[in-house]
Amino acid sequence: MKTIDELLAEGVTGKRVFVRADFNVPLEGTTITDDGRIRAVEPTVAKLAAAGARVIVASHLGRPKGAPDPAFSLAPAAKRLGELLGADVAFATDTVGESAASVVAGLADGQVAVLENLRFNAGETSKDDAERGAFADRLAELADLYVGDGFGAVHRKHASVFDLPARLPHAAGGLIATEVGVLKKLTDDVKRPYAVVLGGAKVSDKLGVIDHLLEKADRILIGGGMAFTFLKAQGHEVGSSLLQEDQIPAVQGYLKRAEERGVEFVLPVDFLVAPEFPDLKTKAPANPETVPANAMPAGKMGLDNGPETCALYASKLADAATVFWNGPMGVFEHPDYAEGTRAVAQALVDSSAFTVVGGGDSAAAVRILGFDEQAFGHISTGGGASLEYLEGKTLPGLAALED
């Protein structure tokens, strides 16, 4: 896999360089609430611009249905990139149409442009190879070189991620190189004890990574909505908490394998519960109560780890040499249910381990709860991509960058 430094050494002055970034940032209207993914790719864009390239940045945002949708415009991301670069960034109001062609043609050496949301064109995400390839052909007309740096999208077989690199000389950007290097530390030469913290709503989203990490981890801590399927698999009642009954046999199999392999599985011992899900818009006080995990009352749902679980998880992470965390412990967006997630983040900050926050909601939680990002070993920009890499899957966007 060619690096961006190797590409720069060959010379990019005057070349049109297509950078596939990941600007899939959360928005409230046109306001970006977490610009972490834009900040992560800015060094690659800045390097190329400083070397005299004519930089064309492209990304997806959200899930528009193959047609323009103002709610998913990349205009706010283009503006924010310009602020980070300290330079004007041109914005094309389409992907491969007249605006894109005009904006790219107008770039001088060292200037940067952002194209509109790639998913406004159905060819970007099409499962039909010919349709996807036709869109990649049109994107290729805009550029001379390709740099893949949208790690959050490398697990997708999309036109700009998989097909376009085959049509242009290509290299991996700095962000992708960093992400892959970090993930190798979690799979190849792991320092032990190796602790994994998995949370989030659905256990079905994590089955593959649990299956793979049972062969590598020393300790797996489970939280979030997925914990209730594990507790139900052990015979506990879970009230009205989130439950995937169809996954109980799989979970029972993992618990048995963990016992056979000597992998410690840690589940919550208490929860904060309430009769209903909290209002995340008003953040009105929820007044939860704390109950033991083995005494969940009927009609109540678990919404965060309780204080005993917070302390237990902190103790289980204290001696680790490597920690991977993906998924919040509760409804962290509401202040009454943020402590479980905060406790895990704080345990990682206090640890001397190599700590990796695996993107997605975990990365958002770290920022929303006010933690210093530099206090963690690495905060990934790709939750789904990170998980699929740890599952041992071949990621299309990485395979496409191989020479």
Side-chain angles (χ1 to χ4, degrees):
M1 188 181 294
K2 180 182 285 186
T3 68
I4 188 173
D5 290 333
E6 291 171 323
L7 190 72
L8 290 169
E10 294 172 359
V12 296
T13 302
K15 299 286 183 66
R16 300 169 302 165
V17 182
F18 188 105
V19 177
R20 199 345 175 148
D22 178 11
F23 287 172
N24 190 27
V25 294
L27 292 171
E28 290 184 1
T30 59
T31 301
I32 297 170
T33 58
D34 180 359
D35 68 352
R37 286 178 167 172
I38 302 175
R39 286 186 288 110
V41 80
E42 184 271 338
T44 291
V45 176
K47 262 187 176 183
L48 290 164
R54 303 178 183 191
V55 188
I56 306 147
V57 184
S59 176
H60 69 286
L61 173 62
R63 296 179 182 273
K65 301 184 184 300
D69 184 339
F72 298 108
S73 175
L74 279 176
K79 179 182 177 183
R80 181 59 182 143
L81 178 62
E83 291 170 350
L84 293 169
L85 291 169
D88 290 336
V89 169
F91 181 65
T93 57
D94 56 26
T95 55
V96 291
E98 291 182 5
S99 179
S102 175
V103 165
V104 171
L107 288 175
D109 295 357
Q111 291 186 329
V112 179
V114 173
L115 304 181
E116 186 53 284
N117 193 335
L118 290 164
R119 290 186 182 174
F120 286 0
N121 190 303
E124 169 68 2
T125 59
S126 176
K127 289 181 168 53
D128 181 83
D129 290 348
E131 183 181 12
R132 214 176 52 245
F135 183 50
D137 287 339
R138 296 188 67 189
L139 290 173
E141 293 172 2
L142 297 173
D144 305 303
L145 303 169
Y146 177 94
V147 172
D149 216 24
F151 181 74
V154 294
H155 58 314
R156 305 296 187 192
K157 193 177 181 181
H158 291 169
S160 65
V161 176
F162 178 75
D163 302 274
L164 185 55
R167 289 156 168 79
L168 295 170
H170 50 263
L175 173 60
I176 279 187
T178 297
E179 293 273 13
V180 172
V182 165
L183 290 170
K184 284 183 176 178
K185 291 183 180 179
L186 300 178
T187 54
D188 295 344
D189 186 21
V190 182
K191 294 183 178 179
R192 299 185 179 280
Y194 179 15
V196 175
V197 186
L198 296 175
K202 296 180 178 180
V203 69
S204 56
D205 293 340
K206 304 291 197 306
L207 288 178
V209 75
I210 293 171
D211 182 72
H212 204 66
L213 288 173
L214 276 172
E215 307 298 318
K216 297 181 179 294
D218 300 299
R219 191 176 297 152
I220 299 177
L221 287 64
I222 301 292
M226 62 186 287
F228 299 105
T229 302
F230 279 88
L231 290 168
K232 187 72 172 179
Q234 291 183 329
H236 301 297
E237 291 303 317
V238 297
S240 58
S241 305
L242 185 64
L243 175 66
Q244 291 185 284
E245 290 205 45
D246 61 323
Q247 301 299 332
I248 288 176
V251 164
Q252 289 173 329
Y254 289 143
L255 290 170
K256 182 179 179 181
R257 273 179 59 199
E259 184 177 2
E260 291 171 349
R261 294 190 60 81
V263 177
E264 184 180 8
F265 243 102
V266 186
L267 297 174
V269 294
D270 63 344
F271 289 104
L272 299 186
V273 303
E276 57 189 16
F277 200 83
D279 189 325
L280 298 183
K281 289 186 177 180
T282 66
K283 307 285 177 73
N287 302 315
E289 62 178 302
T290 303
V291 301
N294 60 2
M296 182 72 70
K300 297 286 181 76
M301 62 177 67
L303 295 163
D304 193 20
N305 287 345
E308 289 187 23
T309 302
C310 290
L312 172 65
Y313 282 21
S315 71
K316 294 294 183 181
L317 296 171
D319 67 340
T322 303
V323 181
F324 173 71
W325 170 35
N326 182 280
M329 298 293 100
V331 189
F332 71 91
E333 301 92 339
H334 192 287
D336 288 352
Y337 300 111
E339 196 53 40
T341 302
R342 189 192 312 277
V344 169
Q346 188 63 55
L348 267 64
V349 169
D350 294 340
S351 172
S352 60
F354 175 62
T355 57
V356 178
V357 180
D361 287 340
S362 311
V366 162
R367 299 183 183 107
I368 289 171
L369 297 176
F371 286 90
D372 179 1
E373 294 179 45
Q374 303 304 314
F376 302 88
H378 179 69
I379 298 179
S380 179
T381 57
S386 296
L387 290 177
E388 290 198 17
Y389 188 99
L390 293 178
E391 288 178 40
K393 291 184 176 179
T394 297
L395 307 189
L398 296 184
L401 294 175
E402 297 290 347
D403 294 328

